[in-house]
Amino acid sequence: VANAAKYLDKATKPYGGLHGVVNNAGIVGSSFFDDMLTTKDYKEVVEVNTYGVIRVTQAMKHLVKKTRGRVVSIASICARIGIQGIGPYTVSKYAATGYCEVIRQELRHFGVSVHILEPGFFRTPLIDEKIVHARLDKMWKTVPESIKQEYGEKFFQDSRERITSSLQLIGSPKIHLVIDAYFHALTARFPHLRYQIGADAKYLFVPLAYLPTGLRDAITHAAAKIMGEPIPECAKRKANDTFKKENNPLVG
């Protein structure tokens, strides 16, 4: 990044600066339930998805100030609503969005505008079935035995298949929508400050994000139950014990 900044200092002199900076790089990293992750898993994702945005923007924004240009960063619809099983990615995108919200207020004094892209799920390598399976299998091998017993092998395998099938179902092949949003943010006379991209982002996740938290949780929990969401082995046993106690007058 430092070398790129030095290069651009010279290369942009004929143009008086840099019109736009685009922060696009992102990784998913290890993702599953928080019980199975470590702080290292979070740090690895944040290093790219959050600090990458900060690092590049700070290195280049002096050039953007010269042209009263634009900073465009890709966040995610996951920065609107937390989805279980993708904690590190979600945390990194919430943080990146927060950074962009702050510098948008600060850079307006210099005529620089800041724009956030919030795509839903698209069929990129991030959600490729083989890649997701390999990532989950690698993570499961490192999980402590006590946690494996708490959740159970069946829970992991069922969740593994459910995650990949859901991603393929909801993931849109229309990658050009994201490219179009980038192009609009960089070139339009009146660019949007935020771009929700994809039908799932616009008609599912954003509406859910505006609901009261309790109502949103009730809806998502009901939907998960209807769709047969896997239940951790330990939680299943506790639920069965509670049911027996409540329905057997001789127990307790």
Side-chain angles (χ1 to χ4, degrees), residues 81-82 208 213 215-226 229:
I81 180 172
L208 279 174
T213 304
L215 177 58
R216 184 176 71 230
D217 281 358
I219 291 172
T220 54
H221 293 167
K225 192 172 183 179
I226 292 171
E229 177 186 44

Side-chain angles (χ1 to χ4, degrees), residues 17-224:
L18 192 63
H19 169 70
V21 171
V22 174
N23 293 299
N24 178 73
I27 62 172
V28 175
S30 294
S31 286
F32 204 55
F33 280 43
D34 182 68
D35 280 345
M36 304 173 195
L37 304 176
T38 66
T39 54
K40 181 182 177 182
D41 294 321
Y42 283 87
K43 287 179 179 179
E44 286 178 349
V45 179
V46 170
E47 184 61 41
V48 177
N49 296 3
T50 304
Y51 289 122
V53 173
I54 297 172
R55 202 161 33 239
V56 171
T57 302
Q58 288 191 340
M60 311 297 176
K61 66 181 176 182
H62 68 286
L63 295 172
V64 181
K65 286 179 182 179
K66 292 180 179 180
T67 65
R68 301 173 69 86
R70 303 173 184 183
V71 176
V72 182
S73 299
I74 194 159
S76 170
I77 204 61
C78 292
R80 289 270 187 166
I81 180 172
I83 302 173
Q84 67 178 23
I86 47 177
Y89 183 80
T90 299
V91 168
S92 72
K93 292 300 185 178
Y94 264 97
T97 297
Y99 174 70
C100 292
E101 287 282 306
V102 170
I103 64 170
R104 188 179 71 245
Q105 305 299 324
E106 296 174 352
L107 293 177
R108 65 185 173 85
H109 300 295
F110 301 92
V112 175
S113 59
V114 179
H115 311 273
I116 302 170
L117 272 60
E118 301 176 300
F121 291 91
F122 285 85
R123 292 181 190 171
T124 69
L126 287 179
I127 67 168
D128 179 81
E129 186 173 356
K130 289 182 179 179
I131 293 176
V132 173
H133 277 176
R135 189 165 61 233
L136 289 172
D137 291 342
K138 182 180 179 181
M139 178 278 306
W140 184 247
K141 289 179 182 178
T142 66
V143 173
E145 193 59 36
S146 60
I147 299 297
K148 286 184 177 180
Q149 291 178 6
E150 187 176 18
Y151 281 82
E153 180 72 27
K154 187 176 187 305
F155 171 84
F156 170 71
Q157 295 298 338
D158 289 349
S159 297
R160 178 179 180 271
E161 296 308 314
R162 188 170 183 268
I163 288 170
T164 51
S165 61
S166 297
L167 288 174
Q168 293 306 309
L169 178 65
I170 199 173
S172 171
K174 299 178 180 179
I175 309 296
H176 67 276
L177 295 176
V178 182
I179 309 304
D180 290 347
Y182 271 133
F183 188 77
H184 189 274
L186 286 167
T187 64
R189 185 178 180 186
F190 300 107
H192 308 315
L193 295 178
R194 285 178 179 254
Y195 292 79
Q196 289 82 46
I197 313 166
D200 58 335
K202 291 180 180 178
Y203 306 119
L204 176 61
F205 295 116
V206 169
L208 279 174
Y210 281 116
L211 294 177
T213 304
L215 177 58
R216 184 176 71 230
D217 281 358
I219 291 172
T220 54
H221 293 167

